[in-house]
Amino acid sequence: MTQPLTGVRVVEMAGIGPGPHACMMLADLGADVVRVVRPGVVEPPSEHTLRGRTTVAADLKDPQERDRVLDLLATTDVVVEGFRPGVMERLGLGPAQVHARNPRAVYARMTGWGQTGPFATTAGHDINYISLTGALHAIGTADQPLPPLNLVGDYGGGSMLLVNGVLAALVQRATTGEGQVVDAAMVDGAGLLLAGILELRTTGDWRDERFDNLLDGAAPFYGTYRCADGGSMAVGAIEPQFYALLLEGLGLDAADLPDRDDRATWASLRERFAEVFATRPRAHWEQVFGGTDACVTPVLTFAEAPSHPHVAARSSLVATADGHVVGGAAPRLSAGDPVPASPGRASTLDDVLTGWAAPTPT
């Protein structure tokens, strides 16, 4: 079955973080992705964010090689770059130069701070982008903010936003015949991801205090609990009907417990739940709550997750023959599901240009 992006050509100027992750998703959807690296860089075949690539080397500071890369960009549908603002322009490969040769190109720019603004040319990482949006302040213990890995800025707010912009631009190009520049910034994406939390704050249902709100671990019915064997269970029994099933599984009677809607009782209610969960190993609670609507699930390690029946059924995570854990392709599409692209291969600019000599796909 044909992949959704079959025939779409993508040139990725090598970088780290959300740019490669975005191009991985485009490759999983069937795009032909060429990654341009510096001479001497050797990237072994990867089942992770660098999968699905043809990798070529080019010295962008060499005028002749730079012109060959510009020839490549003149035949592509999408350009993805993640340098600081102005770098591609100084190399002679910026949007103006590319659009002069290829007005249909979607030129996607992935940065932390965006192409404009006081911080645009400064360095940063995921933790910095989410700190300025309020997201980091809301995550952690009561005493200290804690970075949520690099999922919120780099990937949720970065690569997902970039792919969204690329696909939207390709759809619009089908109507206008013209490409455009996509300015994807992790700080913008992190702010966008906060829409639901900010809505709760507007209605007075969220306070600017960590571990004091419905979804930040303060609510006893939305958090994690240690089991007798050291494992943990995740509890998300927000709605009353789910909460009732939680109590049933724990063998507790609501009449004997504090009012769950009274924040003043949350600490004592959490303590009671913790006492019960700690009496049995995780496997016991998995059996008790498995298949119910209590919204109680085991907290699995990366090593355990691929073998969970639901994760395995959907190939959300896959354990490879050599023991690596690999993220599957998503989302599923009725006209042809994305599939994890191959680990990729090395090639040359000349070979790619020869292969792309045909007219640019529509």
Side-chain angles (χ1 to χ4, degrees):
M1 196 173 286
T2 303
Q3 292 284 78
L5 294 186
T6 296
V8 174
R9 298 168 174 174
V10 178
V11 174
E12 171 195 3
M13 310 306 296
I16 61 174
H21 188 253
C23 289
M24 176 202 76
M25 288 188 283
L26 295 174
D28 287 349
L29 288 166
D32 185 1
V33 181
V34 173
R35 178 173 165 91
V36 181
V37 302
R38 296 189 306 274
V41 173
V42 178
E43 295 181 332
S46 171
E47 303 156 315
H48 303 280
T49 56
L50 294 184
R51 69 190 182 213
R53 309 293 207 281
T54 298
T55 301
V56 300
D59 182 357
L60 300 181
K61 295 182 180 180
D62 181 302
Q64 289 186 329
E65 291 199 40
R66 187 271 319 280
D67 288 345
R68 295 292 279 162
V69 171
L70 186 56
D71 289 340
L72 185 65
L73 301 185
T75 64
T76 194
D77 294 290
V78 180
V79 181
V80 175
E81 64 94 1
F83 300 118
R84 297 195 199 192
V87 170
M88 289 292 280
E89 283 83 353
R90 290 194 294 273
L91 290 170
L93 300 172
Q97 292 97 332
V98 171
H99 283 147
R101 296 275 304 275
N102 180 7
R104 290 175 54 80
V106 173
Y107 199 107
R109 320 195 79 170
M110 183 75 259
T111 60
W113 302 115
Q115 298 298 309
T116 60
F119 282 15
T121 60
T122 64
H125 277 295
D126 184 292
I127 194 170
N128 307 117
Y129 312 133
I130 68 174
S131 74
L132 289 197
T133 63
L136 182 59
H137 181 272
I139 301 170
T141 67
D143 297 327
Q144 178 144 2
L146 295 174
L149 303 182
N150 64 330
L151 302 180
V152 177
D154 279 0
Y155 299 122
S159 56
M160 297 296 181
L161 193 71
L162 183 73
V163 169
N164 185 59
V166 166
L167 297 180
L170 287 174
V171 169
Q172 188 174 44
R173 189 184 72 176
T175 301
T176 66
E178 297 181 355
Q180 61 182 290
V181 177
V182 177
D183 176 3
M186 287 173 252
V187 67
D188 298 345
L192 187 65
L193 291 173
L194 284 169
I197 299 300
L198 294 176
E199 183 176 6
L200 290 174
R201 189 172 181 272
T202 299
T203 61
D205 294 316
W206 190 276
R207 296 186 284 196
D208 285 345
E209 300 291 336
R210 281 181 306 280
F211 208 72
D212 191 49
N213 297 284
L214 178 65
L215 302 177
D216 64 3
F221 43 85
Y222 198 89
T224 60
Y225 291 93
R226 295 270 289 183
C227 304
D229 60 350
S232 296
M233 296 295 288
V235 174
I238 297 175
E239 292 81 359
Q241 66 272 29
F242 303 152
Y243 181 73
L245 292 173
L246 167 66
L247 298 188
E248 179 181 333
L250 294 175
L252 297 173
D253 188 334
D256 300 328
L257 299 172
D259 180 7
R260 62 163 249 159
D261 294 324
D262 182 357
R263 286 175 181 258
T265 71
W266 279 5
S268 60
L269 189 54
R270 188 185 316 109
E271 183 178 349
R272 182 68 182 116
F273 289 170
E275 290 174 354
V276 178
F277 272 110
T279 63
R280 301 282 188 172
R282 192 185 76 185
H284 169 82
W285 298 119
E286 288 185 66
Q287 184 174 9
V288 168
F289 291 108
T292 75
D293 280 345
C295 302
V296 179
T297 52
V299 178
L300 303 178
T301 66
F302 290 132
E304 295 173 317
S307 61
H308 185 276
H310 188 82
V311 175
R314 294 187 61 84
S315 299
S316 303
L317 292 168
V318 178
T320 64
D322 53 10
H324 295 165
V325 177
V326 180
R332 297 194 172 199
L333 302 169
S334 62
D337 287 341
V339 295
S342 64
R345 64 185 182 88
S347 187
T348 66
L349 267 173
D350 286 340
D351 285 345
V352 173
L353 283 166
T354 299
W356 281 12
T360 304
T362 58

